Amino acid sequence: MDFIDVAIVGGGPAGLTAANTLARQRHTAVVFDSKSYRNAGAAHMHMILTWDHKSPEEYRSEARKNILANYTTIQFADVAVTNINKKSDSHFEVSDANGKTWSARKIILAVGSATTYPDVEGYDRLWKKRIFHCLFCHGYEDRDAPSSGVLAVPPVNGAIAAHMAQNAAQLTREVTPELGPIVNTLTRSKFHIETREIKRLVGNDHTNSVIVEFIDGSNKEEKFLVHNPQTSPQGPFVGQLGLATTALGDIQAEGPFSQTTVPGVFAVGDYSTPYKVIPSAITSGCNAGVMASAEIQAAKYTQPSTP
């Protein structure tokens, strides 16, 4: 039976970094890339030196080329993984959508999160365009705009909404927490608390902004809205492997090496944290690669103890 050292499920920044890390110790790995990315459609990425304000798609492409140009132990399989069967802590059977079964010593899950939009008409069309989940990732390019808004609807609660509003206040002259009775700790001179019920959200292509329409027939224009929608782990692997999850629905993974509650399985990137940004994904991919390597090498080079 031919083993690969690590099966990496997911070809985003976390999975690519894990592959690059493992290659440095001559480990074999296959990166399974279904081409499904949570930031698909996003025009720019930020907080990555030399890649700031560049395309995430271009980043993934160039990272893959760089790995293949410099290392010979990494393979890429552009196919989804449909099943992972754990045989032991150092033997996993990985089945892909083409019907092929692979044997791996360790698993790194980097498949990202699925997004569930709130029940607000127009939200889905504006997500990633004028609705931002993180104002370190987005928003700076709209600095000094007259007004922005925070969508204070579940799963965003009062404390998180207040934090988002404070971030937005650094970028725009006024911030409106929409549906904001739950936000009661903000300085009134900078923030306008909106309590009217929202009917729908409409993009204004001419001004590159959002029109918030209320059920009373009035409306308000915001340069952008801030909100974190509900997320859940992509793929069937939580049930297949018996992975524990957090109260927020992410995979429970122990830092700093992203080890899950199932020995031999690591969860990285958006899969295992509410802080879903590329720098965090890169860090977790590197750390998981280091620990997967350590476990493989310990089994390979440590002499069994004698009674």
Side-chain angles (χ1 to χ4, degrees):
M1 180 184 299
D2 292 330
F3 271 84
I4 53 174
D5 286 335
V6 183
I8 302 170
V9 187
L16 291 166
T17 303
N20 200 165
T21 302
L22 289 160
R24 296 295 300 172
Q25 278 284 291
R26 303 179 70 183
H27 288 291
T28 57
V30 176
V31 179
F32 296 91
D33 191 350
S34 67
K35 303 295 184 178
S36 175
Y37 313 108
R38 186 168 181 250
N39 67 355
H44 304 107
M45 56 187 283
H46 299 98
M47 299 187 291
I48 303 297
L49 294 176
T50 75
W51 278 93
D52 200 70
H53 205 65
K54 294 183 179 180
S55 162
E57 182 179 359
E58 184 181 353
Y59 173 85
R60 292 189 296 267
S61 175
E62 290 302 312
R64 180 187 286 213
K65 290 177 184 177
N66 185 259
I67 291 170
L68 291 175
N70 289 289
Y71 305 103
T72 60
T73 60
I74 308 300
Q75 304 175 57
F76 288 88
D78 291 335
V79 62
V81 169
T82 57
N83 188 73
I84 301 176
N85 181 28
K86 180 175 180 177
K87 311 295 284 187
S88 73
D89 291 353
S90 57
H91 181 190
F92 296 83
E93 289 183 346
V94 179
S95 300
D96 66 32
N98 291 334
K100 183 174 181 178
T101 299
W102 310 67
S103 293
R105 293 182 172 87
K106 303 294 174 183
I107 301 291
I108 296 180
L109 297 172
V111 294
S113 297
T115 300
T116 302
Y117 302 127
D119 187 20
V120 178
E121 183 181 345
Y123 185 105
D124 57 340
R125 293 187 293 275
L126 291 167
W127 170 243
K128 291 183 288 192
K129 297 176 181 177
R130 289 288 92 194
I131 299 176
F132 304 146
H133 77 294
C134 167
L135 292 186
F136 290 89
C137 304
H138 309 282
Y140 177 84
E141 288 69 29
D142 298 306
R143 61 195 179 277
D144 297 325
S147 181
S148 60
V150 175
L151 197 59
V153 299
V156 172
N157 60 26
I160 296 175
H163 169 70
M164 290 177 168
Q166 290 160 3
N167 285 171
Q170 288 288 105
L171 301 174
T172 60
R173 294 194 288 275
E174 183 182 88
V175 180
T176 304
E178 314 287 349
L179 298 184
I182 58 175
V183 184
N184 55 18
T185 61
L186 300 173
T187 304
R188 296 291 170 170
S189 60
K190 184 75 175 181
F191 304 93
H192 169 70
I193 309 300
E194 179 58 70
T195 59
R196 290 173 291 179
E197 185 176 348
I198 294 173
K199 177 182 178 182
R200 64 175 179 171
L201 307 174
V202 180
N204 186 333
D205 294 336
H206 179 68
T207 58
N208 197 24
S209 60
V210 181
I211 305 297
V212 182
E213 295 185 357
F214 302 100
I215 60 171
D216 64 5
S218 62
N219 65 72
K220 189 177 190 302
E221 184 172 11
E222 307 286 11
K223 189 61 179 176
F224 58 81
L225 297 177
V226 194
H227 185 258
N228 257 327
Q230 185 67 50
T231 61
S232 58
Q234 286 206 85
F237 312 117
V238 172
Q240 290 176 359
L241 293 168
L243 299 168
T245 57
T246 68
L248 294 175
D250 301 308
I251 301 301
Q252 185 177 320
E254 189 72 23
F257 298 110
S258 298
Q259 294 164 295
T260 71
T261 54
V262 177
V265 179
F266 302 81
V268 298
D270 288 2
Y271 211 57
S272 59
T273 177
Y275 186 55
K276 302 181 190 303
V277 296
I278 292 176
S280 174
I282 289 172
T283 299
S284 64
C286 175
N287 290 351
V290 168
M291 183 52 69
S293 170
E295 291 183 2
I296 292 168
Q297 291 176 15
K300 182 177 181 180
Y301 296 118
T302 300
Q303 183 173 333
S305 58
T306 55

